[in-house]
Amino acid sequence: MKIVDLRVTPIAIADPPLRSAYGLHAPYALRTIVELVSEDGITGAAETHGGERILQDFARVRDRVICRDAFDLARLEGEVAGSFEEPWGAQAIEIDRSQTYVLPGVSRLDVPLRLFAAVEVAALDLIGKSTGTPVAELLGGRVRDTVPFSAYLFFKHAGGGGARADVREDRWGEALTPEALVDQARTMIDMYGFESVKVKGGVLPPGHEIETMERLHAAFPDLPLRIDPNAAWSVETAVAVGRALAGVLEYLEDPSPGLEGMAQVRRQLMQRGIDLPLASNVAVTSFEVLPEAIRRDAVQVVLSDLHYWGGLRAITHLGRLCATFGIGLSMHSNSHLGLSLLAMTHVAAATPHLTYACDTHYPWQAGEDEILESGRVPIIGGAVRVPTEPGLGATLDRDALERGRERYERCSLRERDDEAEMRRLVDAQWRRVVPAW
Amino acid sequence: MKIVDLRVTPIAIADPPLRSAYGLHAPYALRTIVELVSEDGITGAAETHGGERILQDFARVRDRVICRDAFDLARLEGEVAGSFEEPWGAQAIEIDRSQTYVLPGVSRLDVPLRLFAAVEVAALDLIGKSTGTPVAELLGGRVRDTVPFSAYLFFKHAGGGGARADVREDRWGEALTPEALVDQARTMIDMYGFESVKVKGGVLPPGHEIETMERLHAAFPDLPLRIDPNAAWSVETAVAVGRALAGVLEYLEDPSPGLEGMAQVRRQLMQRGIDLPLASNVAVTSFEVLPEAIRRDAVQVVLSDLHYWGGLRAITHLGRLCATFGIGLSMHSNSHLGLSLLAMTHVAAATPHLTYACDTHYPWQAGEDEILESGRVPIIGGAVRVPTEPGLGATLDRDALERGRERYERCSLRERDDEAEMRRLVDAQWRRVVPAW
């Protein structure tokens, strides 16, 4: 099944002004759509992080993808890694690979894994479409027919995202108080039926975020809750939050910076008899950091992400590793469309050890920006049905893709920079400080 | 791709009187051939451990396999595990799962993994044959076109194995001295071109085995050497052997019993500045023991075995885990035919982190007993070519399979018992003692 073309299309999708410890979401999120075309004219597609640099990065590996058999992936992974040995090389291993200071999708150390992952997903979609097999089955078979996702609540400013002709309806309104977040939860659960709730914290002072979680717990006493301040809290603050919310949270996500911060929070909570699992996609973002994270007991739940851990098979490997070491497994999300949601759903279905509902930003994106022929992927009862159709189970709507590309060209954004956006719209002096509280 | 039939055929193959710390190989090795037939009449096949109990075990999961889609494997694995929760269940987790006291393929705790593994291999052969794809590609793609194997030397008595009409030519003769083992190495390397050498030790007193390795090193100074006494040595003896052979061995395999013994040998060698990796398929036989093995630094090279670790995908997971923790990966072997050799070759090709040549008993089996239409799988330059043909790359010779079944019926062996064979032919009082020296 020879690959004869690699198409890489940058798109922009409207994104509401969501807040996090990194800053503020810009009016558009940037994504990249990767397509592989086989010699018999079948197309496989994948979605990954966006912006200008990844386009240059794809150009660099293009010749390694074209004319390759779609099954020939393990060698491709090695070749892609080899293509990026400079300019950073061994020296750069000294760089902190974590997402403590850089946003997901921005670390240069992840580039080879992110490129390979996108090609792998597109190749598996292509193989699946060519052989009539869903991707979950190509990965070893599904253990569930639906994959649960969490309601993902954000403190936000008013506005639905986008600009000019692309301004999207704001179904949510401003939400900068605990009360407003409970309202947001209610709306989102009404719309999608979510059975667990995640709050993106690190935005309001910790006391207000504790209050937010307590109000959510009172409003939805049966739903598991999580909060993720993206390392915005000192160890002392994180321990105080953990103590306050011990009976309320299913896990506490990335409370403090680095493996050292996480390990200290864990140790101090355990010393107080509080066995609250700590989850991470900030301190723990790659296989290479796992031995040290495990040795220090710095993480009890890994938040996997197929986009930067190295693709779908890498996540199935991660699942086995977490099962082996008694570590929980959940899934991280970035602002994304349905193609990423489907890839996440297939691999979640094929990973027996997935022990928590996955995160998804999908409710924050607008139907106008979806690029699938079938339109928005339904979330019903808080879950996505695992497609039984070949490949990822969807086909690109080429007109919608073209509109996404035009949106990318019209908007001036070329790299995600939530800190700059925060300065532009909220506070001209704002800088991210780690930890902030 | 619905499975409409599961065929399980016990066979016996001639096996020479090879010695190990477990005792003596009987005149026949027992294997089981598993076939899955799809609704469109395509057959996938696999080879696993033999004997009577596994036939009963297969009968117990038969209904779960029939009518299932060949891709629906992850759920099958869970169901097979569920079918065997009793009679041992949680209580049996207390049992030592290692191969310190039981031979590979005999532990009842491994039954679900061994059944699933055989079905998985046959299913992937079936899928590959149906879609025109080699198994290595179904696993993620090959990173090598040939897979290196080691010459596997045994101290042995005279005889080629088999009985009556099945007595096989003894190409090797008796080999119970260091000199004879060097002759055996020379013959085997001449025939197959092996570029590394493994000795099955734990048979002669340790001083003679040290001498054997020294003579091999002198005769083949460029070839990596390994010795495996199957936990026959006390920690003190193992440390003495390790010190004597530090400059000669690429790794020392299972010198002493259990994780505790292995960890002590490692610690004492390291204290003497000897960083000789310890390999294991006796103390370490499953994912569940890896965290403790790693914590204690009891193993630096894992000897994978698709037959009891849970199949081909399980080995790719194990590869990623070993790569993550900086542990080497090699491959264990039992007496086997070409079907197992091909499965081992495909998964070795698709496992980037395989860091050593694999073991194989294949040179000890006779061409008359092979069950592939294409006959014996060639080993050239010490390596097996990774098939580019669909599935495992071979088809069963049904007449040869039938002869294997008849051989099974004629011979009285129904379970491997090297200790009984040792008493029968060598020493009526022999019992395995761990450690023996």
Side-chain angles (χ1 to χ4, degrees), chain A residues 289-304:
Chain A
V289 78
L290 281 172
E292 185 68 6
I294 290 169
R295 201 184 62 72
R296 295 198 195 184
D297 195 22
V299 61
Q300 292 75 50
V301 181
V302 172
L303 296 168
S304 62

Side-chain angles (χ1 to χ4, degrees), chain B residues 171-241:
Chain B
R171 293 173 292 184
W172 312 93
E174 182 184 275
L176 291 168
T177 64
E179 298 84 344
L181 227 65
V182 176
D183 289 344
Q184 191 185 87
R186 199 165 283 123
T187 305
M188 200 176 276
I189 289 169
D190 282 350
M191 290 175 69
Y192 297 101
F194 290 114
E195 295 183 347
S196 62
V197 176
K198 167 168 174 171
V199 170
K200 178 58 83 181
V203 176
L204 304 186
H208 292 231
E209 298 198 347
I210 290 172
E211 186 194 337
T212 303
M213 301 316 291
E214 288 170 340
R215 283 175 180 259
L216 284 167
H217 183 58
F220 307 100
D222 298 332
L223 299 199
L225 304 180
R226 352 174 153 163
I227 182 167
D228 168 22
N230 289 116
W233 299 333
S234 68
V235 170
E236 190 185 349
T237 301
V239 170
V241 175

Side-chain angles (χ1 to χ4, degrees), chain B residues 23-47:
Chain B
L24 177 67
H25 283 212
Y28 294 96
L30 307 179
R31 301 293 282 171
T32 307
I33 305 303
V34 176
E35 294 174 89
L36 298 179
V37 184
S38 73
E39 55 191 334
D40 42 2
I42 298 172
T43 300
E47 177 185 343

Side-chain angles (χ1 to χ4, degrees), chain A residues 74-75 140 145 291 317 320 324, chain B residues 74-75 140 145 287 291 317 320 324:
Chain A
R75 264 185 176 141
D145 296 315
H317 297 165
R320 179 83 70 157
T324 298
Chain B
R75 265 186 176 139
D145 296 315
F287 283 97
H317 297 165
R320 179 83 71 157
T324 298

